[in-house]
Amino acid sequence: EGLTVSNSTKRDWLIPPTGLEIAMPIWAPFGALIPAILLYLLLFMETHICELIMLEKTKGEKGVGIHLDIVLLSLINMLSAFFGGPWICAATVRAVSHVS
């Protein structure tokens, strides 16, 4: 009969971020802030390093459109994180081997 949750008596479609059975401590979101910032910096630096390597290999032939990938990666990662999906990264090794 269509798309339903696995156990509709246990939870609804929207799960509250404060917890289902026991309440999440108030310090937990603030405790997750530092690892989240570190992970953001790691993905940001990996994307920029990949971009610098690609610019060096292509001698700047790509133009200004090469910066669009950073914007797209940021938006896709934000949407994926919001819906609980996986993050994506720049895949530096594959990108460099593709250009070489």
Side-chain angles (χ1 to χ4, degrees):
E1 297 178 22
L3 191 62
T4 61
V5 292
S6 57
N7 188 357
S8 59
T9 60
K10 188 169 184 177
R11 63 174 183 256
D12 200 11
W13 275 99
L14 297 176
I15 300 172
T18 56
L20 284 174
E21 296 166 3
I22 57 172
M24 185 185 322
I26 194 67
W27 57 266
F30 299 109
L33 190 63
I34 292 173
I37 290 172
L38 291 174
L39 183 64
Y40 166 77
L41 288 174
L42 177 69
L43 291 173
F44 183 79
M45 291 300 294
E46 181 187 14
T47 304
H48 274 286
I49 289 170
C50 182
E51 181 182 350
L52 288 174
I53 292 171
M54 298 298 288
L55 280 175
E56 182 181 314
K57 295 277 187 184
T58 59
K59 305 290 189 264
E61 297 170 1
K62 296 289 183 187
V64 296
I66 198 165
H67 300 293
L68 184 62
D69 68 338
I70 293 176
V71 175
L72 290 176
L73 279 173
S74 300
L75 291 175
I76 291 170
N77 282 337
M78 181 181 69
L79 285 173
S80 292
F82 182 74
F83 289 110
W87 296 318
I88 59 172
C89 58
T92 307
V93 174
R94 283 189 287 160
V96 171
S97 64
H98 178 72
V99 172
S100 296

